[in-house]
Each structure stands twice: as structure tokens, then as C-alpha cells.
Amino acid sequence: MQPFSIPVQITLQGGRRRQGRTAFSASGRNRNIDHNDGDLPDVHKKLPSSAGEDRALLLGFAMMGFSVLMFFLLGITILKPFMLSIQREESNCTTIHTHITDDWMDCAFPCGVGCRGRGEYPCLQVFVNVTHSGQKALLHYNEEAVQINSKCFYTPKCHRDRNDLLNSVLDIKEFFDHKNGTPFSCFYSPDSQSEDVILIKKYDQMVIFHCLFWPSLTLLGGALIVGMVRLTQYLSLLCEKYSATLRDEVGGKVPYMEQHRFKLWSVGRDKERAERS
């Protein structure tokens, strides 16, 4: 019986060894497959952005575009007239007398599609005494009133009702008549010899500040949003590259350690088999 036990034992041991090698190679392949499946196909490609990042980028670019549009519109409507207007300083004015001219001024008003009606409005003149210079001057409502009609205090909205226009002018005339002898604030031009002064400045420094501040703030906010999203995406890409590199280093050490353990196990089994025989 002994001659037949040795071949059987060797056969069993050889089969077990082949099974162990097959299992090890299969497990190694499985580990390699799992490791390859966990890696990114290409870490150098740009990471896809999330829906929240896309919305943030859209908001940032929309804010920047809106600020540019605000700069354009405010520059045409406010900044340009301010730069072209005469610089005026504040002073006190005293009403001397008010007067409605006999000649009414012509004006036009829309009356339908492709139709413009003709009308007239009374011209109110308010003469004041400027405290700073002591000269007599013609008072206007604002800068636009000087440009539209330099002879009248203001230009009312034109329409057909002459009585309504006359009543509004009489109300303003009565207001200044009650201020006879009472100083009030007005604005004059120290560099000009013109006798025109205005009651209200339409374009003052505070208006210009708001026209420049809010569009600039909107532009800066949009740029910060876009910059923060881009920075977040860049940092995420760097973290992903670092993680992939770390997984590659760990994956290269594991098969080597497994092979070393298998060699030690094989040597130990050979020594036990030699001692038994």
C-alpha cells in the first residue's frame, strides 16, 4: 500500500499547488480589473461641472453682461449730459418778480399713429437776485429747461387744453410770489457770464456716484462668482489627479507583496515535505 500512497500524495499536492496558483492568478487578475475599473480613464480631461456650478456660472456672466448694459445706458442718459453741462455752484436767490409773457410758445404733442398735434403753452419768467454776485438773473427749473427754452422757467407737457396749461403756470407763479423777499437755494455758474440760474440740479455728484457704484458692484460680483466656480473646479481636478496617483502607487505595491508571501509559503511547504520524506 505504501508505493501507491506516495504518487497519490504527490498528485494531490501538485493539484493543490496548481489550484493555489490558479486561484492566486485569478485573484490577481480580479484585483487588477477592479483597480483598473476604479481609475479614471483620463485624469487630464476636464471634470464635468455640476448643475449648481453651471447655474452659478450663468448667474455670474448674466451679472457681468447686465452691468455692461447699465454702464452703456447710464453713460448715455446721465453721465454724458453731466460732462457736457455747465458746472454750477450753490448760492441763495431772492425773487424779484414773476411774469407771464403775452406771446405763447408753440409745442407739439402726439395725437395718434403718425399724427402730431400743434399747441401752445404760456411762458413763465421768474427773475431773481443772486446773493453771491448781486446780479439779476433768470431762474430755470433745471439744466434741461435751459436747453429746451432759455426764455421760460420750464416747459410744461404740451396738450390741447389751454386752460389747464394756464392754471398750472399760475400756480407756480403764485408760489414764487409768496417767496418774495425770502431767500432760497439756487445754482449758478461762476465761470460763465450767463444770467441763467437753476432751481434744481438734475445731475449732482450723488447721482453720478450711484450711476458708477452699482454697475461696478454688479460687475465685480459677477466676476467673483465666475472666479470662485473656476477655482473650485480647478481644485477638484487637482484632488482627483492626486487620488489617482496615490491609487496607482498603492496598486503597484500590493502584487509585489503577494508574490513575496507566496514565495515564502512555497519555501515553507517544500521544507515540511522534505522533513516528512
Side-chain angles (χ1 to χ4, degrees):
M1 295 298 292
Q2 185 175 2
F4 294 98
S5 62
I6 295 175
V8 172
Q9 183 177 5
I10 294 174
T11 304
L12 292 175
Q13 291 177 355
R16 291 175 182 175
R17 189 180 304 135
R18 285 193 298 271
Q19 290 178 0
R21 291 178 181 177
T22 305
F24 175 77
S25 61
S27 63
R29 285 196 300 269
N30 291 331
R31 284 195 298 270
N32 292 332
I33 293 173
D34 295 338
H35 178 69
N36 292 331
D37 292 339
D39 287 341
L40 291 176
D42 189 1
V43 297
H44 297 287
K45 292 182 179 180
K46 184 179 179 182
L47 293 177
S49 59
S50 62
E53 291 176 347
D54 292 338
R55 295 191 187 97
L57 287 175
L58 182 61
L59 176 61
F61 286 119
M63 291 176 63
M64 294 171 66
F66 180 70
S67 64
V68 173
L69 181 61
M70 289 176 62
F71 273 123
F72 179 74
L73 294 178
L74 295 177
I76 294 177
T77 58
I78 296 179
L79 295 178
K80 184 178 180 180
F82 174 77
M83 298 299 295
L84 297 177
S85 63
I86 301 174
Q87 300 299 323
R88 299 177 184 271
E89 295 181 1
E90 186 175 2
S91 181
N92 290 328
C93 293
T94 305
T95 304
I96 299 176
H97 71 275
T98 59
H99 175 66
I100 298 177
T101 60
D102 297 332
D103 297 331
W104 285 38
M105 301 295 172
D106 295 331
C107 61
F109 58 90
C111 57
V113 179
C115 173
R116 295 188 66 84
R118 304 295 299 179
E120 294 180 342
Y121 67 91
C123 178
L124 174 64
Q125 294 181 340
V126 180
F127 294 94
V128 295
N129 184 23
V130 182
T131 304
H132 182 79
S133 62
Q135 295 180 355
K136 181 180 177 180
L138 183 63
L139 182 66
H140 297 274
Y141 181 68
N142 55 17
E143 297 94 337
E144 288 185 352
V146 178
Q147 297 175 1
I148 295 175
N149 191 345
S150 60
K151 296 180 180 180
C152 304
F153 173 74
Y154 84 113
T155 301
K157 185 177 181 180
C158 186
H159 55 83
R160 287 193 179 96
D161 194 349
R162 292 169 59 92
N163 292 328
D164 186 31
L165 292 173
L166 181 60
N167 291 332
S168 63
V169 171
L170 289 175
D171 292 338
I172 298 173
K173 182 178 182 301
E174 183 179 0
F175 172 79
F176 283 105
D177 289 338
H178 284 294
K179 279 186 170 295
N180 191 10
T182 303
F184 56 89
S185 177
C186 62
F187 299 90
Y188 74 102
S189 176
D191 299 332
S192 177
Q193 300 298 327
S194 176
E195 297 180 354
D196 296 327
V197 295
I198 62 175
L199 180 64
I200 297 174
K201 288 182 67 174
K202 184 177 181 179
Y203 310 113
D204 57 357
Q205 295 180 355
M206 187 58 63
V207 173
I208 301 303
F209 170 77
H210 286 291
C211 291
L212 295 176
F213 175 75
W214 295 112
S216 301
L217 185 63
T218 306
L219 179 63
L220 180 61
L224 285 177
I225 291 176
V226 174
M228 291 298 292
V229 172
R230 292 300 186 187
L231 180 62
T232 302
Q233 292 177 348
Y234 177 72
L235 293 178
S236 299
L237 182 61
L238 289 182
C239 292
E240 194 66 28
K241 288 182 179 180
Y242 177 76
S243 300
T245 304
L246 187 61
R247 286 197 299 268
D248 291 340
E249 293 179 356
V250 175
K253 292 180 181 179
V254 171
Y256 175 77
M257 295 174 64
E258 292 292 339
Q259 292 176 6
H260 183 66
R261 290 177 182 177
F262 178 74
K263 288 180 180 179
L264 293 177
W265 177 79
S266 299
V267 173
R269 294 291 294 177
D270 293 338
K271 288 182 179 180
E272 291 180 358
R273 194 163 50 248
E275 290 176 355
R276 291 177 182 177
S277 62

mmCIF file of all heavy atoms in Angstrom, residues 143-164:
data_model
loop_
_atom_site.group_PDB
_atom_site.id
_atom_site.type_symbol
_atom_site.label_atom_id
_atom_site.label_comp_id
_atom_site.label_asym_id
_atom_site.label_seq_id
_atom_site.Cartn_x
_atom_site.Cartn_y
_atom_site.Cartn_z
ATOM 1 N N GLU A 143 -31.337 121.945 -15.644
ATOM 2 C CA GLU A 143 -30.488 122.104 -16.823
ATOM 3 C C GLU A 143 -31.244 121.868 -18.122
ATOM 4 O O GLU A 143 -30.983 122.540 -19.130
ATOM 5 C CB GLU A 143 -29.296 121.126 -16.745
ATOM 6 C CG GLU A 143 -28.358 121.368 -15.575
ATOM 7 C CD GLU A 143 -28.710 120.529 -14.370
ATOM 8 O OE1 GLU A 143 -29.885 120.114 -14.264
ATOM 9 O OE2 GLU A 143 -27.837 120.278 -13.535
ATOM 10 N N GLU A 144 -32.161 120.903 -18.118
ATOM 11 C CA GLU A 144 -32.915 120.628 -19.334
ATOM 12 C C GLU A 144 -33.803 121.804 -19.732
ATOM 13 O O GLU A 144 -33.993 122.073 -20.924
ATOM 14 C CB GLU A 144 -33.768 119.368 -19.152
ATOM 15 C CG GLU A 144 -32.964 118.086 -19.123
ATOM 16 C CD GLU A 144 -33.854 116.863 -19.065
ATOM 17 O OE1 GLU A 144 -35.089 117.051 -18.885
ATOM 18 O OE2 GLU A 144 -33.333 115.743 -19.189
ATOM 19 N N ALA A 145 -34.356 122.500 -18.744
ATOM 20 C CA ALA A 145 -35.200 123.660 -19.057
ATOM 21 C C ALA A 145 -34.400 124.749 -19.758
ATOM 22 O O ALA A 145 -34.915 125.434 -20.643
ATOM 23 C CB ALA A 145 -35.830 124.203 -17.772
ATOM 24 N N VAL A 146 -33.124 124.903 -19.392
ATOM 25 C CA VAL A 146 -32.274 125.899 -20.055
ATOM 26 C C VAL A 146 -32.031 125.500 -21.508
ATOM 27 O O VAL A 146 -32.035 126.346 -22.411
ATOM 28 C CB VAL A 146 -30.943 126.051 -19.296
ATOM 29 C CG1 VAL A 146 -30.035 127.058 -20.000
ATOM 30 C CG2 VAL A 146 -31.202 126.496 -17.861
ATOM 31 N N GLN A 147 -31.802 124.194 -21.757
ATOM 32 C CA GLN A 147 -31.520 123.734 -23.111
ATOM 33 C C GLN A 147 -32.768 123.752 -23.996
ATOM 34 O O GLN A 147 -32.677 124.053 -25.190
ATOM 35 C CB GLN A 147 -30.926 122.325 -23.048
ATOM 36 C CG GLN A 147 -29.598 122.245 -22.312
ATOM 37 C CD GLN A 147 -29.104 120.820 -22.161
ATOM 38 O OE1 GLN A 147 -29.753 119.882 -22.619
ATOM 39 N NE2 GLN A 147 -27.965 120.654 -21.510
ATOM 40 N N ILE A 148 -33.934 123.438 -23.431
ATOM 41 C CA ILE A 148 -35.157 123.390 -24.239
ATOM 42 C C ILE A 148 -35.638 124.795 -24.600
ATOM 43 O O ILE A 148 -35.916 125.099 -25.757
ATOM 44 C CB ILE A 148 -36.252 122.603 -23.492
ATOM 45 C CG1 ILE A 148 -35.822 121.140 -23.329
ATOM 46 C CG2 ILE A 148 -37.579 122.683 -24.249
ATOM 47 C CD1 ILE A 148 -36.781 120.328 -22.494
ATOM 48 N N ASN A 149 -35.745 125.644 -23.592
ATOM 49 C CA ASN A 149 -36.228 127.012 -23.827
ATOM 50 C C ASN A 149 -35.585 127.915 -22.788
ATOM 51 O O ASN A 149 -35.944 127.876 -21.609
ATOM 52 C CB ASN A 149 -37.754 127.079 -23.726
ATOM 53 C CG ASN A 149 -38.310 128.402 -24.222
ATOM 54 O OD1 ASN A 149 -37.587 129.378 -24.395
ATOM 55 N ND2 ASN A 149 -39.617 128.450 -24.460
ATOM 56 N N SER A 150 -34.612 128.701 -23.209
ATOM 57 C CA SER A 150 -33.866 129.555 -22.281
ATOM 58 C C SER A 150 -34.640 130.805 -21.862
ATOM 59 O O SER A 150 -34.154 131.562 -21.015
ATOM 60 C CB SER A 150 -32.539 129.976 -22.921
ATOM 61 O OG SER A 150 -32.773 130.702 -24.117
ATOM 62 N N LYS A 151 -35.829 131.016 -22.417
ATOM 63 C CA LYS A 151 -36.587 132.214 -22.078
ATOM 64 C C LYS A 151 -37.625 131.985 -20.973
ATOM 65 O O LYS A 151 -38.113 132.947 -20.387
ATOM 66 C CB LYS A 151 -37.312 132.746 -23.320
ATOM 67 C CG LYS A 151 -36.383 133.209 -24.432
ATOM 68 C CD LYS A 151 -37.188 133.725 -25.621
ATOM 69 C CE LYS A 151 -36.278 134.188 -26.753
ATOM 70 N NZ LYS A 151 -37.074 134.695 -27.924
ATOM 71 N N CYS A 152 -37.967 130.706 -20.717
ATOM 72 C CA CYS A 152 -39.040 130.393 -19.771
ATOM 73 C C CYS A 152 -38.490 129.613 -18.583
ATOM 74 O O CYS A 152 -37.431 128.976 -18.658
ATOM 75 C CB CYS A 152 -40.144 129.588 -20.458
ATOM 76 S SG CYS A 152 -40.836 130.398 -21.912
ATOM 77 N N PHE A 153 -39.254 129.641 -17.483
ATOM 78 C CA PHE A 153 -38.857 128.907 -16.280
ATOM 79 C C PHE A 153 -38.852 127.410 -16.535
ATOM 80 O O PHE A 153 -37.926 126.699 -16.108
ATOM 81 C CB PHE A 153 -39.816 129.262 -15.131
ATOM 82 C CG PHE A 153 -39.610 128.445 -13.898
ATOM 83 C CD1 PHE A 153 -38.516 128.659 -13.071
ATOM 84 C CD2 PHE A 153 -40.508 127.439 -13.559
ATOM 85 C CE1 PHE A 153 -38.327 127.900 -11.942
ATOM 86 C CE2 PHE A 153 -40.318 126.678 -12.421
ATOM 87 C CZ PHE A 153 -39.232 126.906 -11.613
ATOM 88 N N TYR A 154 -39.848 126.893 -17.206
ATOM 89 C CA TYR A 154 -39.898 125.474 -17.554
ATOM 90 C C TYR A 154 -40.829 125.305 -18.746
ATOM 91 O O TYR A 154 -41.571 126.220 -19.114
ATOM 92 C CB TYR A 154 -40.359 124.629 -16.371
ATOM 93 C CG TYR A 154 -41.856 124.540 -16.198
ATOM 94 C CD1 TYR A 154 -42.535 123.352 -16.384
ATOM 95 C CD2 TYR A 154 -42.606 125.676 -15.852
ATOM 96 C CE1 TYR A 154 -43.909 123.273 -16.234
ATOM 97 C CE2 TYR A 154 -43.966 125.599 -15.700
ATOM 98 C CZ TYR A 154 -44.623 124.396 -15.888
ATOM 99 O OH TYR A 154 -45.980 124.328 -15.744
ATOM 100 N N THR A 155 -40.790 124.123 -19.341
ATOM 101 C CA THR A 155 -41.648 123.807 -20.477
ATOM 102 C C THR A 155 -42.638 122.736 -20.053
ATOM 103 O O THR A 155 -42.233 121.587 -19.802
ATOM 104 C CB THR A 155 -40.829 123.309 -21.673
ATOM 105 O OG1 THR A 155 -39.887 124.311 -22.046
ATOM 106 C CG2 THR A 155 -41.718 122.996 -22.856
ATOM 107 N N PRO A 156 -43.926 123.050 -19.925
ATOM 108 C CA PRO A 156 -44.908 122.047 -19.492
ATOM 109 C C PRO A 156 -45.184 121.037 -20.587
ATOM 110 O O PRO A 156 -44.820 121.227 -21.750
ATOM 111 C CB PRO A 156 -46.150 122.894 -19.168
ATOM 112 C CG PRO A 156 -46.025 124.084 -20.051
ATOM 113 C CD PRO A 156 -44.554 124.363 -20.179
ATOM 114 N N LYS A 157 -45.846 119.956 -20.218
ATOM 115 C CA LYS A 157 -46.220 118.937 -21.189
ATOM 116 C C LYS A 157 -47.312 119.494 -22.089
ATOM 117 O O LYS A 157 -48.344 119.971 -21.631
ATOM 118 C CB LYS A 157 -46.718 117.682 -20.473
ATOM 119 C CG LYS A 157 -47.021 116.529 -21.413
ATOM 120 C CD LYS A 157 -47.444 115.301 -20.643
ATOM 121 C CE LYS A 157 -47.734 114.144 -21.598
ATOM 122 N NZ LYS A 157 -48.161 112.926 -20.856
ATOM 123 N N CYS A 158 -47.079 119.409 -23.374
ATOM 124 C CA CYS A 158 -47.972 120.040 -24.343
ATOM 125 C C CYS A 158 -49.235 119.210 -24.545
ATOM 126 O O CYS A 158 -49.179 117.975 -24.660
ATOM 127 C CB CYS A 158 -47.239 120.206 -25.670
ATOM 128 S SG CYS A 158 -48.179 121.137 -26.907
ATOM 129 N N HIS A 159 -50.383 119.844 -24.570
ATOM 130 C CA HIS A 159 -51.658 119.228 -24.920
ATOM 131 C C HIS A 159 -52.630 120.314 -25.368
ATOM 132 O O HIS A 159 -52.318 121.510 -25.373
ATOM 133 C CB HIS A 159 -52.222 118.401 -23.762
ATOM 134 C CG HIS A 159 -52.361 119.168 -22.476
ATOM 135 N ND1 HIS A 159 -53.438 119.967 -22.190
ATOM 136 C CD2 HIS A 159 -51.525 119.263 -21.404
ATOM 137 C CE1 HIS A 159 -53.285 120.495 -20.999
ATOM 138 N NE2 HIS A 159 -52.130 120.105 -20.505
ATOM 139 N N ARG A 160 -53.855 119.938 -25.715
ATOM 140 C CA ARG A 160 -54.805 120.866 -26.313
ATOM 141 C C ARG A 160 -55.444 121.808 -25.294
ATOM 142 O O ARG A 160 -55.839 122.920 -25.643
ATOM 143 C CB ARG A 160 -55.909 120.081 -27.024
ATOM 144 C CG ARG A 160 -55.490 119.430 -28.316
ATOM 145 C CD ARG A 160 -56.714 118.963 -29.091
ATOM 146 N NE ARG A 160 -56.356 118.350 -30.353
ATOM 147 C CZ ARG A 160 -56.215 117.045 -30.526
ATOM 148 N NH1 ARG A 160 -56.388 116.230 -29.500
ATOM 149 N NH2 ARG A 160 -55.899 116.561 -31.712
ATOM 150 N N ASP A 161 -55.566 121.401 -24.059
ATOM 151 C CA ASP A 161 -56.291 122.180 -23.055
ATOM 152 C C ASP A 161 -55.466 123.400 -22.643
ATOM 153 O O ASP A 161 -54.550 123.301 -21.814
ATOM 154 C CB ASP A 161 -56.606 121.298 -21.853
ATOM 155 C CG ASP A 161 -57.647 121.932 -20.935
ATOM 156 O OD1 ASP A 161 -57.963 123.126 -21.115
ATOM 157 O OD2 ASP A 161 -58.131 121.222 -20.028
ATOM 158 N N ARG A 162 -55.761 124.549 -23.189
ATOM 159 C CA ARG A 162 -55.022 125.767 -22.870
ATOM 160 C C ARG A 162 -55.302 126.233 -21.442
ATOM 161 O O ARG A 162 -54.411 126.751 -20.772
ATOM 162 C CB ARG A 162 -55.414 126.865 -23.863
ATOM 163 C CG ARG A 162 -54.951 126.612 -25.281
ATOM 164 C CD ARG A 162 -55.591 127.598 -26.257
ATOM 165 N NE ARG A 162 -55.269 128.969 -25.902
ATOM 166 C CZ ARG A 162 -54.232 129.662 -26.368
ATOM 167 N NH1 ARG A 162 -53.400 129.067 -27.234
ATOM 168 N NH2 ARG A 162 -54.021 130.905 -26.023
ATOM 169 N N ASN A 163 -56.530 126.042 -20.967
ATOM 170 C CA ASN A 163 -56.850 126.484 -19.613
ATOM 171 C C ASN A 163 -56.064 125.697 -18.564
ATOM 172 O O ASN A 163 -55.621 126.256 -17.555
ATOM 173 C CB ASN A 163 -58.358 126.337 -19.357
ATOM 174 C CG ASN A 163 -59.176 127.303 -20.188
ATOM 175 O OD1 ASN A 163 -58.734 128.426 -20.486
ATOM 176 N ND2 ASN A 163 -60.383 126.882 -20.585
ATOM 177 N N ASP A 164 -55.924 124.409 -18.797
ATOM 178 C CA ASP A 164 -55.145 123.590 -17.863
ATOM 179 C C ASP A 164 -53.691 124.045 -17.823
ATOM 180 O O ASP A 164 -53.076 124.130 -16.758
ATOM 181 C CB ASP A 164 -55.239 122.121 -18.273
ATOM 182 C CG ASP A 164 -54.568 121.205 -17.262
ATOM 183 O OD1 ASP A 164 -54.565 121.553 -16.069
ATOM 184 O OD2 ASP A 164 -54.049 120.147 -17.665
#
